[in-house]
């Protein structure tokens, strides 16, 4: 079995946008069916906004043939063909591992690609096109991607402003589960902050100058509580967390009005608007922690630098997993022998067990069971010794 039968054809983030748009798979199921009709034994399609890649395992079909399929399927012109990448064997294995770890993403270690890799193998299984080799490959890629993010801590180095905002809040309260959070503004950053707060278990209240828009948002995020804009200071006074992200050209939370309602409780306020929503003087009040978008951007830049420093660590993890996959693949060649050793060991132990109990008289069922267990243990030890020898020589 040749590991070079694992192959990949496709384009990635380094390909011009006009080509990436052209080769985005709209119906992956349809494409998988067509590729299987081409004669591929196993095939998985990974299609995202930054890459369109066909992974396949075949002893008969070459990368050139799949490249031709790619060209014809999307109607590519000659000047685009040069961007199609073809790799195989351990290079293809290493590539999908790097992709799953976020090493091939625009943002190193980003999370979305991991779920997209998982979705790719799930879809392939739905259409019965993944097979033993690619299922193992993609399953290992997903497992490695999770491990890399957890073990290195790269997943905690947030780059999203709204996510960092919630991280700042967590540093103030340690645990925000059950805390009352008040979000002002329904823009993208405001909505992301709401979702992050809800994920952390906070009780989220939301307001916006246009009340109807707030009602519409509740249909999309039913966990939020809608608050009329006129009552915002009342809710600010009773909240543990306040996040403001509006487009207003002036302060939406003034120093004077805040002072009127503030009761001295510990409160964390995060201003992710530009121009600022919260009068900066509020941050000087005892009991108030105030963070601005500059604080968040500074953290994002620091996190970005730290992510880049982790690249060699993750690359080492990838190399180790490539070696493990190669060893697993080599054992496939001796799999029939392993099965035969296990079958023969099982046959011997059963035969010997029957021979012994037939000769013995007045033996209790418990003693018979003990004899059976002992014989099985001996047979398994001998079989495992032989299997280990086979595997070591396969490597």
């Amino acid at each position: 079995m040749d590991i070079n039968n694992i192959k990949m054809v496709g384009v990635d983030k380094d390909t011009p946008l006009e080509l990436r748009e052209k080769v985005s798979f709209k119906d992956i199921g349809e494409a998988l069916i067509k590729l299987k009709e081409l004669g591929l034994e196993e095939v998985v399609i990974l299609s995202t906004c930054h890459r369109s890649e066909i992974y396949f395992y075949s002893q008969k079909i070459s990368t050139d043939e799949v490249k031709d399929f790619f060209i014809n399927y999307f109607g590519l012109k000659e000047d685009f063909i040069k961007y199609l990448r073809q790799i195989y064997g351990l290079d293809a294995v290493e590539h999908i591992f790097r992709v799953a770890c976020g090493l091939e993403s625009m943002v190193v270690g980003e999370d979305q690609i991991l779920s997209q890799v998982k979705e790719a193998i799930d879809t392939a299984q739905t259409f019965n096109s993944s097979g033993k080799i690619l299922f193992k490959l993609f399953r290992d890629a997903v497992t490695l991607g999770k491990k890399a993010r957890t073990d290195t801590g790269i997943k905690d180095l947030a780059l999203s402003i709204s996510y960092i905002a919630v991280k700042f809040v967590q540093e103030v309260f340690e645990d925000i589960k059950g805390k009352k959070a008040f979000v002002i503004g329904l823009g993208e950053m405001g909505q992301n902050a709401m979702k992050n707060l809800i994920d952390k278990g906070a009780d989220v209240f939301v307001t916006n100058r246009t009340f109807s828009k707030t009602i519409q948002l509740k249909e999309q995020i039913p966990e939020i509580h809608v608050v009329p804009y006129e009552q915002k200071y009342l809710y600010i006074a009773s909240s543990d967390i306040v996040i403001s992200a509006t487009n207003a050209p002036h302060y939406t939370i003034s120093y004077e009005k805040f002072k009127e309602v503030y009761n001295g409780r510990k409160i964390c306020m995060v201003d992710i608007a530009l121009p600022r929503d919260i009068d900066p003087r509020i941050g000087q009040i005892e009991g108030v922690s105030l963070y601005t978008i500059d604080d968040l951007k500074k953290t994002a830049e620091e996190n970005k630098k730290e992510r880049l420093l982790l690249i060699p660590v993750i690359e080492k993890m990838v190399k180790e997993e490539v070696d493990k996959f190669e060893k697993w693949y080599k054992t496939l060649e001796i799999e029939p022998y392993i099965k035969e050793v296990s079958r023969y060991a099982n046959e011997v132990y059963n035969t010997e067990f029957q021979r012994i109990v037939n000769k013995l008289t007045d033996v209790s069922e418990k003693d018979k069971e003990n004899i059976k267990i002992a014989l099985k243990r001996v047979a398994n030890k001998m079989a495992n010794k032989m299997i280990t020898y086979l595997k070591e020589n396969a490597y």
Side-chain angles (χ1 to χ4, degrees):
M1 296 179 68
D2 188 350
I3 200 166
N4 288 325
N5 291 329
I6 301 173
K7 308 162 189 175
M8 190 283 287
V9 172
V11 299
D12 58 19
K13 70 180 190 307
D14 297 324
T15 304
L17 178 60
E18 57 266 27
L19 175 58
R20 297 207 311 271
E21 290 175 335
K22 193 174 182 64
V23 299
S24 176
F25 286 94
K26 305 303 180 187
D27 189 339
I28 291 178
E30 175 196 69
L32 287 172
I33 291 170
K34 288 183 180 296
L35 284 162
K36 289 284 282 184
E37 290 172 351
L38 189 66
L40 293 180
E41 298 161 42
E42 303 182 25
V43 58
V44 177
I45 293 175
L46 177 60
S47 183
T48 74
C49 57
H50 293 308
R51 67 184 65 250
S52 292
E53 298 174 332
I54 300 173
Y55 294 82
F56 61 103
Y57 178 81
S58 178
Q59 300 180 50
K60 302 174 184 177
I61 308 298
S62 68
T63 53
D64 282 338
E65 290 175 89
V66 175
K67 180 180 177 181
D68 288 340
F69 169 87
F70 210 110
I71 292 167
N72 295 328
Y73 189 82
F74 291 110
L76 299 181
K77 295 179 181 178
E78 189 67 31
D79 56 340
F80 280 150
I81 295 172
K82 63 183 178 183
Y83 293 104
L84 275 175
R85 186 180 182 189
Q86 304 176 63
I87 54 176
Y88 51 86
L90 292 179
D91 287 341
V93 173
E94 181 178 356
H95 179 70
I96 186 58
F97 284 174
R98 289 180 61 87
V99 168
C101 289
L103 292 174
E104 299 296 327
S105 299
M106 291 287 191
V107 176
V108 175
E110 58 99 0
D111 287 333
Q112 189 177 11
I113 187 61
L114 185 58
S115 60
Q116 291 167 333
V117 171
K118 184 178 184 305
E119 184 181 349
I121 189 62
D122 288 345
T123 302
Q125 285 185 278
T126 299
F127 286 87
N128 196 31
S129 69
S130 63
K132 182 177 182 176
I133 309 298
L134 292 188
F135 176 76
K136 166 74 172 171
L137 178 62
F138 272 72
R139 185 185 64 186
D140 286 358
V142 171
T143 301
L144 174 61
K146 291 177 181 177
K147 180 178 171 62
R149 287 168 175 81
T150 301
D151 289 4
T152 63
I154 198 169
K155 67 182 181 64
D156 298 319
L157 299 172
L159 301 180
S160 160
I161 293 298
S162 55
Y163 190 86
I164 292 173
V166 176
K167 292 284 286 184
F168 272 51
V169 171
Q170 280 185 292
E171 288 177 9
V172 172
F173 291 106
E174 293 185 6
D175 185 6
I176 61 176
K177 186 176 182 180
K179 295 292 184 184
K180 185 176 179 181
F182 187 46
V183 180
I184 306 171
L186 308 182
E188 182 179 354
M189 286 199 293
Q191 290 188 38
N192 287 337
M194 295 172 209
K195 293 171 183 175
N196 289 329
L197 287 165
I198 290 168
D199 288 343
K200 300 296 182 184
D203 197 14
V204 180
F205 294 76
V206 177
T207 194
N208 188 64
R209 191 174 293 276
T210 307
F211 190 69
S212 60
K213 290 183 179 179
T214 317
I215 296 295
Q216 290 173 5
L217 182 62
K218 186 170 175 61
E219 294 177 4
Q220 302 172 37
I221 313 175
E223 296 90 346
I224 64 173
H225 307 285
V226 174
V227 174
Y229 192 76
E230 298 75 25
Q231 298 178 20
K232 67 179 181 181
Y233 283 102
L234 178 65
Y235 279 83
I236 288 171
S238 62
S239 295
D240 304 295
I241 304 157
V242 176
I243 296 179
S244 193
T246 76
N247 299 335
H250 51 73
Y251 295 143
T252 58
I253 304 176
S254 75
Y255 177 78
E256 289 75 15
K257 289 185 178 179
F258 178 84
K259 284 279 286 183
E260 288 176 11
V261 298
Y262 182 57
N263 54 20
R265 66 185 292 160
K266 185 178 181 181
I267 183 170
C268 180
M269 306 182 78
V270 186
D271 188 345
I272 53 179
L274 196 66
R276 287 180 286 184
D277 275 348
I278 303 174
D279 190 319
R281 291 178 295 171
I282 292 174
Q284 300 170 8
I285 300 173
E286 187 176 352
V288 178
S289 300
L290 173 61
Y291 300 100
T292 68
I293 195 165
D294 282 350
D295 297 318
L296 306 181
K297 284 183 175 179
K298 181 181 177 182
T299 299
E301 286 301 316
E302 290 171 353
N303 286 353
K304 185 176 180 180
K305 291 177 183 176
E306 288 191 48
R307 279 176 178 249
L308 294 176
L309 292 174
L310 288 172
I311 289 176
V313 179
I314 299 175
E315 286 181 331
K316 184 173 182 292
M317 295 174 71
V318 168
K319 179 67 170 62
E320 290 171 354
E321 289 303 315
V322 170
D323 291 343
K324 287 180 184 178
F325 185 87
E326 183 182 17
K327 288 180 178 179
W328 170 83
Y329 189 86
K330 286 180 177 178
T331 63
L332 295 179
E333 296 181 355
I334 60 169
E335 203 170 69
Y337 304 104
I338 292 174
K339 287 182 179 179
E340 177 58 23
V341 168
S342 298
R343 185 204 65 77
Y344 183 69
N346 194 57
E347 179 185 303
V348 169
Y349 117 77
N350 272 313
T351 301
E352 290 304 305
F353 172 70
Q354 292 300 327
R355 188 180 64 79
I356 291 171
V357 296
N358 288 339
K359 287 184 176 182
L360 297 174
T361 58
D362 299 325
V363 179
S364 68
E365 289 301 318
K366 184 176 181 181
D367 287 339
K368 286 182 180 179
E369 185 62 28
N370 287 335
I371 292 170
K372 190 174 186 179
I373 292 170
L375 285 172
K376 186 172 180 64
R377 188 179 294 121
V378 170
N380 284 344
K381 282 184 177 180
M382 295 181 71
N384 288 338
K385 187 74 173 177
M386 179 61 74
I387 290 169
T388 300
Y389 176 80
L390 289 170
K391 286 183 175 180
E392 287 174 351
N393 281 274
Y395 301 156

